[in-house]
Amino acid sequence: MACPAAPWLLLVMPLALLGSLVAPAFQPEQGQAGGESGQQLDQEIGAGESVLVSAYVHLEFSDKTWPPMFSRDLTLLPASASSSLKTLIGLSLTTECNVNHTGYSHCSCLSGYQWNASVCSHHLLCHPQHQSHQPCGCLVFSHPVPGYCQLLPPVTLQGSPVSCLPAVPGNLRLNSPLQMPGDTLNLTLRISQEATNLTWFLRRPGKPTPILLQKGTQVSLTSSQGQVVLSISHMSQYWAGEYMSCFEAQGFRWELRQVVRVPLQQKEVARIPEKLSISCATSSGFQLSCCIPRTHLAYTAAWSPEEGSQASLLTTSGSQCLVLAIQRCPAADTTYTCVLQSQDLDPLRFPVPVTIIQDGDTTCPENFSVVAWNVTKAGHVAEAPCPMNKMGVVKRPCRPDGIWGPVQTDCTDLGILALCIKAKLLQAGQGRPAEKVPQILAQLQRRVGVASSPSDLIALLSTVKSLSEVVAEDRMHLDRSALEDLLTTTDNILDMNISSLWTQAQVQKPTEGSHFLLAVETLVRSLSPEDQPFSFNSSNVLLQSQFFEPTLPQYRISFPTQPPVWAEIPSHSLAPLAHNGTNISITSLVLQKLDHLLPSNYGQGLGDSFYATAGLVLVISIMAGGQAFTQAEVIMDFGDTDDFLHCVFWDHKLFGGEGGWSGEGCRADAAIASPATWCICQHLTAFSILMSRQTVPENPVLDLLSQVGLGSSVLALLVCLGVYRLVWRVVVRNKVAFFRHAALLNMVICLLAADTIFLGASFLPPGYLRPLCLATTFLTHFFYLATFFWMLAQALVLAHQLLFVFHQLSKHRVLSLMVILGYLCPLVFASVTLGLYLPQGQYLREGKCWLDGKGGAFYTFVGPVLAIVGVNGLVLATAVLKLLRPSLSEGPPVEKRQALLGVIKALLILTPIFGLTWGLGLATLLEEVSTVPHYIFTALNSFQGVFILLFGCLTDKKVQEALRKRFHSNQPPNSTISMVSCSIQSHSLPKGDGHSWQQGEDWGWLLERASFKTGTLAHACNHSGMWDAEA
């Protein structure tokens, strides 16, 4: 690099060694020129030989202009007679210098000459930001006599030195100058001389400053005798450019270069939009864009077809776009194709289908929600570019009915995205971590306020995660300013709207909260010891970091949260560190709200309960001698008096690296002289407490009761099916009886299948296959729902008979509706639940083959069940009111007793058949401590099959009569079936008596009772024949 016009010239003089050397005008100081340039020539050299030596000549031009004579080769005067035996035969310029007004000299080398490496290391560069990667060019000298450049070592050809060609002591080769995306680049440096201070740089397209390459996730260095190999895996556009290998050898700094090109990938080309539907009536033309990033490869772009359009090239700082302006709307649907072509590469084609809206097509109207939406054809997705300074696409579906769907934005702030890419490339191996990490943290703290989308939040979290991994890998320290930037960023991230940003971000990446916690843990314990003690207080982040001598007796810290939190590390836990004589750094960090952003994963011993956390996470770390010390007892008080809390820590290794709460090594203990509960753990990490919301801890007695009840129900339901096999033709002699027993039979079949599968799933070994567990969960969900929908079918038929006593039902129509309700509806619920929650990882419960209780999947079962139980309860209440009115107020005592007995019978028969005992599930959801509701719920519902057999089947008089006839056909029946006519019944029975109908214990008896209470004998006569044949 040349300096401005120089008032001094330094020259090198090749001398013919014929005698002693003529003394130069000035001799350089040792260490300025370096090497051998300052030594006297007193060796014995043979006559007639010549050698290049460096002598220093100082030429000064007062007018600071170049004399014309120095624009051509210099001719020397013949040696005088008084000269020594050595003769000067050539003269060349080596160095030019410029003296500024402060007296400093800026000197640079001319072609063929270079500063000695020793000189470079002792002087400042004129422009350090531009030349840190190169052999030093312009140097700054403060003393009156500056140094001078030396002649580079010459190339030796057949034993003869060639002074015009410097001999680089090595060569740089690569496996291929054209690297396909995803390939591994290998750059091999072969060195013929001993080399030191080897560094690698990459100058990317459009970037003036080369980037230092170091070991990272993509960069690796391997060396062997005489060669060094730089390998870069997963090549992409971020690794295309000019590679430079810089090293020192023979006293000089050398630089070798190779250019690597990487073709574009499909995903790196942006089409705006990717597809389009347009109405020619409202818009006569439109634009399509095809944009590519800057690259070393030359690409030509073209659109087809070109008729009626005009293409133009738009160049920005980081990309080039070929814009196609269609001036005339095509008459029919057309696909426009952007074709990118580069020499020796297959062309890349990017189609953009354009759909023309015709008259009569259903469309979504113009709309201006978020962005401007043009008229769009139904069934298509409208696309629009993100607002300025954001990258991505905004999409909005147009539904088949012509109604706009929700706006789907994938926009990321360009500043945040650039920082995320910088952090990932730094982790991959581009740049100096000590310089880049503080820079990125400072810029991130300024950009976090503009985050407004889930994509922005994911990019922020990913940036912090990458930086933490870089810091951990390089074992670098952060200064006070960098840590403040990090904590400010963390506070702002935790303050973001949970529902609009965090929830949507966690749908895309459920582990982001766990990774963010680990990243912050790593970064805060990297504070430089020189910057301690250090404290930081904000609304969501509180930190105290202290540096202690080895004689620290104990450690205690408190934070002004609500309620206050304090922690203590006893002296016996710190004793091993005191014996080692190392200084100790203890950092305590409170992160509020973060516990709500972690996945609801609970490790062994915590079961599948829903838990409430303390609202914060307490992180304690100890650094001793540059190493993390994790084995120490810590006593914590979170200010909670709940005796049933769990002391837990966040274990990042659980659930396949997703992380989860674990209670291993922690216990809850009663506080001394305080109503609070202490948490005592035997290790250091991120702590919190869990308080059970509704589910009791795992209880062996409860599990045994459930298994016994389910087993009994399975046996009882099998018996019920056997009974129906024997008496079916007898009990279904009329339509309503057929409806009732058909619904009950299907309910028995579904409940039998559900109980069998659920019971079998509990015996699966811990290593069961996920597909088997998935199928088990789906079938259990479906069959339990089908059971309740058949219960609903029974209730609706009964309600119809109670309320519409004169209306006759069509057998085929009602049966079809019952099948649809009993099987199709639960199938829809089960299928939608599977399709909606399985891709999100929220379908299966951890450790069990049942619906995940932490998300919405479980409520697709609870919701329909409670709704059906509510409807069935209303039907039962209606029947009871029919039975009670007006007997209790007007009838004699005998009739009152009969009405009460009727109510009791109705409750015993219909409660298990209608599944009303499942309503107790609400108590288990709301109860926080007591286990009584859980025992009652388990006992009633696990034995539901037994209750159905007893009250829904065996107590039915018609079933009993049929069984007697089948097994005791030679014996007369104990009771007779009344076949009298309506007129006889009307004379033989008083109003409200109904004694002859009580021989049947099914709905016929209930409907008969309810009919008499209306006071209309015709109601009883109308239904007596229908139900009497059944009874």
Side-chain angles (χ1 to χ4, degrees):
M1 178 173 182
C3 292
W8 294 349
L9 290 180
L10 304 179
L11 304 98
V12 63
M13 293 163 287
L15 304 175
L17 302 181
L18 301 177
S20 61
L21 178 66
V22 178
F26 294 95
Q27 193 69 24
E29 298 178 4
Q30 190 72 20
Q32 288 182 351
E36 304 294 331
S37 60
Q39 298 180 3
Q40 297 291 338
L41 296 177
D42 55 0
Q43 299 96 335
E44 292 294 330
I45 301 177
E49 294 181 355
S50 63
V51 65
L52 286 175
V53 297
S54 297
Y56 170 64
V57 176
H58 181 175
L59 303 179
E60 184 171 346
F61 306 97
S62 58
D63 56 359
K64 297 187 178 181
T65 58
W66 285 96
M69 63 177 296
F70 291 112
S71 299
R72 59 183 184 274
D73 292 340
L74 299 179
T75 303
L76 298 179
L77 297 174
S80 64
S82 61
S83 300
S84 68
L85 298 178
K86 308 302 180 184
T87 305
L88 181 66
I89 61 174
L91 182 66
S92 300
L93 300 179
T94 68
T95 312
E96 59 181 16
C97 299
N98 182 36
V99 181
N100 59 22
H101 64 280
T102 61
Y104 287 91
S105 302
H106 288 208
C107 301
S108 58
C109 300
L110 298 178
S111 178
Y113 299 89
Q114 188 173 307
W115 296 110
N116 183 280
S118 176
V119 176
C120 287
S121 63
H122 287 84
H123 293 85
L124 297 176
L125 295 171
C126 301
H127 307 284
Q129 67 273 23
H130 294 139
Q131 292 187 329
S132 60
H133 66 285
Q134 298 175 342
C136 54
C138 182
L139 296 180
V140 179
F141 294 88
S142 58
H143 42 76
V145 181
Y148 61 89
C149 302
Q150 293 180 334
L151 184 66
L152 293 173
V155 175
T156 302
L157 298 176
Q158 297 180 350
S160 301
V162 180
S163 61
C164 60
L165 296 175
V168 179
N171 62 79
L172 184 62
R173 297 180 181 180
L174 48 79
N175 53 345
S176 173
L178 183 64
Q179 296 287 322
M180 302 306 294
D183 288 353
T184 298
L185 169 68
N186 289 319
L187 278 164
T188 304
L189 173 65
R190 299 183 184 275
I191 306 174
S192 58
Q193 302 289 334
E194 182 179 355
T196 58
N197 297 331
L198 173 62
T199 52
W200 298 84
F201 294 90
L202 168 63
R203 179 185 282 114
R204 289 168 50 192
K207 305 293 183 181
T209 305
I211 304 169
L212 176 70
L213 298 180
Q214 297 189 127
K215 288 184 178 180
T217 56
Q218 290 182 244
V219 178
S220 61
L221 290 167
T222 56
S223 59
S224 59
Q225 188 173 5
Q227 73 175 25
V228 179
V229 179
L230 172 73
S231 298
I232 300 176
S233 60
H234 304 97
M235 288 293 291
S236 66
Q237 285 296 319
Y238 293 110
W239 298 93
E242 184 181 44
Y243 284 82
M244 292 169 283
S245 174
C246 303
F247 59 95
E248 293 181 9
Q250 297 178 299
F252 295 96
R253 187 161 179 80
W254 304 90
E255 179 181 292
L256 300 174
R257 307 186 181 199
Q258 286 283 4
V259 176
V260 175
R261 297 174 172 85
V262 180
L264 291 172
Q265 302 181 69
Q266 293 274 351
K267 63 181 180 181
E268 293 172 333
V269 179
R271 292 165 290 163
I272 304 176
E274 295 182 356
K275 54 184 176 180
L276 176 68
S277 70
I278 190 169
S279 172
C280 295
T282 59
S283 178
S284 59
F286 52 90
Q287 282 189 351
L288 305 176
S289 299
C290 182
C291 300
I292 64 173
R294 287 188 177 273
T295 174
H296 272 295
L297 288 173
Y299 278 93
T300 58
W303 282 97
S304 65
E306 297 181 351
E307 294 80 7
S309 61
Q310 181 178 358
S312 59
L313 186 63
L314 178 64
T315 302
T316 62
S317 59
S319 64
Q320 290 181 320
C321 295
L322 184 65
V323 180
L324 182 68
I326 292 86
Q327 301 167 348
R328 198 167 54 251
C329 188
D333 295 350
T334 306
T335 298
Y336 293 86
T337 304
C338 176
V339 182
L340 298 177
Q341 182 70 59
S342 184
Q343 187 176 2
D344 300 328
L345 292 175
D346 295 333
L348 297 176
R349 303 180 184 274
F350 302 92
V352 180
V354 177
T355 302
I356 304 302
I357 300 174
Q358 306 293 343
D359 292 340
D361 288 345
T362 303
T363 61
C364 292
E366 283 186 323
N367 188 274
F368 298 93
S369 174
V370 181
V371 296
W373 302 102
N374 294 324
V375 177
T376 302
K377 188 174 181 179
H380 286 248
V381 178
E383 296 182 3
C386 290
M388 187 171 294
N389 298 325
K390 288 183 176 291
M391 175 175 286
V393 178
V394 184
K395 297 182 179 181
R396 194 177 190 188
C398 178
R399 295 172 179 168
D401 56 358
I403 303 298
W404 283 110
V407 177
Q408 302 166 0
T409 177
D410 188 28
C411 298
T412 308
D413 179 76
L414 288 176
I416 295 176
L417 183 61
L419 293 175
C420 181
I421 294 174
K422 283 183 181 179
K424 288 185 178 295
L425 291 177
L426 180 64
Q427 184 183 6
Q430 289 190 19
R432 292 181 174 88
E435 297 177 4
K436 296 296 182 181
V437 169
Q439 291 177 9
I440 296 175
L441 285 174
Q443 295 170 9
L444 197 66
Q445 184 264 333
R446 293 191 292 267
R447 297 298 303 179
V448 67
V450 304
S452 59
S453 70
S455 300
D456 289 339
L457 177 58
I458 291 175
L460 287 171
L461 299 178
S462 181
T463 304
V464 176
K465 177 176 178 288
S466 297
L467 293 179
S468 70
E469 292 173 353
V470 170
V471 169
E473 181 67 24
D474 279 34
R475 296 185 178 181
M476 60 175 291
H477 291 296
L478 297 179
D479 59 19
R480 178 184 296 267
S481 175
L483 189 58
E484 286 178 348
D485 291 333
L486 166 71
L487 297 177
T488 302
T489 300
T490 302
D491 179 62
N492 291 330
I493 289 176
L494 294 176
D495 230 9
M496 289 182 179
N497 190 293
I498 293 179
S499 60
S500 64
L501 294 183
W502 270 101
T503 302
Q504 297 179 48
Q506 287 176 316
V507 170
Q508 301 178 41
K509 293 190 175 182
T511 60
E512 285 301 289
S514 178
H515 292 164
F516 181 57
L517 171 60
L518 179 60
V520 175
E521 283 186 67
T522 303
L523 291 170
V524 297
R525 65 169 174 251
S526 302
L527 179 65
S528 174
E530 292 78 13
D531 290 314
Q532 298 188 34
F534 175 82
S535 64
F536 182 91
N537 292 310
S538 65
S539 58
N540 299 308
V541 180
L542 299 94
L543 181 139
Q544 295 286 339
S545 184
Q546 295 173 278
F547 198 67
F548 300 97
E549 298 293 332
T551 57
L552 174 69
Q554 67 176 14
Y555 172 78
R556 185 183 177 93
I557 190 72
S558 61
F559 292 97
T561 57
Q562 292 297 328
V565 173
W566 65 263
E568 178 181 309
I569 302 178
S571 57
H572 64 82
S573 292
L574 299 173
L577 298 177
H579 292 324
N580 294 336
T582 57
N583 292 328
I584 304 169
S585 172
I586 303 181
T587 302
S588 298
L589 171 70
V590 170
L591 298 172
Q592 303 199 80
K593 301 181 183 179
L594 182 58
D595 54 330
H596 303 313
L597 309 176
L598 298 171
S600 299
N601 297 335
Y602 306 110
Q604 187 175 6
L606 298 176
D608 300 309
S609 303
F610 289 133
Y611 289 105
T613 50
L616 57 85
V617 174
L618 173 63
V619 181
I620 301 177
S621 61
I622 297 179
M623 299 294 293
Q627 300 292 328
F629 183 74
T630 60
Q631 299 303 315
E633 182 182 76
V634 57
I635 303 171
M636 296 162 287
D637 184 354
F638 290 89
D640 199 282
T641 59
D642 188 356
D643 294 334
F644 296 93
L645 61 80
H646 296 272
C647 297
V648 293
F649 71 98
W650 187 259
D651 190 343
H652 295 279
K653 299 178 183 178
L654 290 181
F655 300 95
E658 184 177 330
W661 294 110
S662 173
E664 184 177 355
C666 294
R667 73 179 192 273
D669 206 349
I672 300 175
S674 171
T677 301
W678 285 354
C679 285
I680 303 175
C681 295
Q682 303 302 319
H683 49 75
L684 299 177
T685 182
F687 302 100
S688 190
I689 55 174
L690 300 179
M691 294 157 286
S692 177
R693 284 180 178 168
Q694 69 274 351
T695 306
V696 296
E698 293 183 1
N699 190 320
V701 177
L702 207 59
D703 292 340
L704 179 61
L705 178 62
S706 177
Q707 293 175 2
V708 171
L710 289 174
S712 302
S713 289
V714 169
L715 294 177
L717 294 171
L718 289 174
V719 173
C720 190
L721 290 178
V723 171
Y724 268 124
R725 175 69 178 84
L726 296 175
V727 303
W728 181 257
R729 292 186 179 182
V730 178
V731 298
V732 293
R733 291 182 178 178
N734 60 72
K735 287 190 295 184
V736 177
F738 176 79
F739 295 152
R740 181 219 170 188
H741 289 289
L744 185 59
L745 176 63
N746 281 277
M747 186 187 75
V748 168
I749 294 173
C750 294
L751 184 59
L752 174 63
D755 284 349
T756 303
I757 297 173
F758 192 82
L759 182 62
S762 64
F763 293 100
L764 284 175
Y768 55 82
L769 297 176
R770 178 181 172 86
L772 178 60
C773 186
L774 193 65
T776 300
T777 303
F778 176 81
L779 292 175
T780 306
H781 187 200
F782 167 71
F783 280 117
Y784 271 126
L785 283 180
T787 301
F788 281 94
F789 275 99
W790 278 109
M791 292 176 182
L792 178 63
Q794 291 187 83
L796 293 178
V797 172
L798 176 59
H800 181 275
Q801 295 303 306
L802 287 172
L803 301 175
F804 307 100
V805 292
F806 291 108
H807 187 271
Q808 298 295 321
L809 296 173
S810 170
K811 182 176 181 180
H812 296 289
R813 181 178 299 174
V814 172
L815 185 61
S816 299
L817 292 176
M818 291 172 70
V819 170
I820 292 174
L821 182 65
Y823 288 114
L824 185 59
C825 289
L827 181 62
V828 170
F829 271 99
S831 301
V832 169
T833 302
L834 179 68
L836 185 63
Y837 291 101
L838 182 62
Q840 302 177 14
Q842 299 178 1
Y843 184 74
L844 287 178
R845 183 170 298 195
E846 186 68 33
K848 288 188 178 180
C849 295
W850 184 229
L851 298 174
D852 186 6
K854 310 178 189 73
F858 181 65
Y859 293 99
T860 62
F861 171 74
V862 173
V865 166
L866 292 180
I868 291 172
V869 168
V871 173
N872 292 356
L874 290 176
V875 174
L876 180 59
T878 302
V880 169
L881 290 176
K882 289 278 189 179
L883 289 172
L884 293 177
R885 192 182 62 219
S887 298
L888 293 183
S889 60
E890 299 176 1
V894 174
E895 187 171 339
K896 293 181 181 179
R897 286 194 298 271
Q898 290 178 348
L900 290 175
L901 289 175
V903 170
I904 295 173
K905 292 176 183 179
L907 292 176
L908 289 176
I909 293 173
L910 296 182
T911 295
I913 292 178
F914 284 179
L916 300 183
T917 55
W918 286 76
L920 293 172
L922 281 175
T924 64
L925 292 175
L926 299 175
E927 181 64 43
E928 294 186 359
V929 177
S930 177
T931 61
V932 173
H934 298 275
Y935 280 100
I936 297 175
F937 178 81
T938 302
L940 291 178
N941 294 302
S942 62
F943 286 94
Q944 186 177 14
V946 177
F947 298 143
I948 291 175
L949 174 65
L950 294 177
F951 299 110
C953 182
L954 296 182
T955 58
D956 190 319
K957 295 293 186 180
K958 193 64 177 176
V959 173
Q960 294 176 8
E961 199 70 36
L963 290 175
R964 288 194 192 98
K965 287 184 178 181
R966 188 171 185 88
F967 294 106
H968 304 284
S969 57
N970 55 341
Q971 299 180 7
N974 294 330
S975 60
T976 59
I977 302 176
S978 176
M979 299 295 292
V980 293
S981 66
C982 181
S983 59
I984 296 175
Q985 293 168 12
S986 64
H987 289 288
S988 61
L989 292 174
K991 178 181 178 181
D993 181 30
H995 177 72
S996 63
W997 280 273
Q998 294 183 27
Q999 300 173 34
E1001 294 294 340
D1002 57 5
W1003 292 353
W1005 161 80
L1006 180 61
L1007 289 170
E1008 177 269 325
R1009 274 279 182 185
S1011 299
F1012 270 111
K1013 299 310 171 188
T1014 64
T1016 305
L1017 185 60
H1019 287 190
C1021 294
N1022 185 45
H1023 290 279
S1024 62
M1026 176 177 64
W1027 288 107
D1028 215 25
E1030 178 192 3

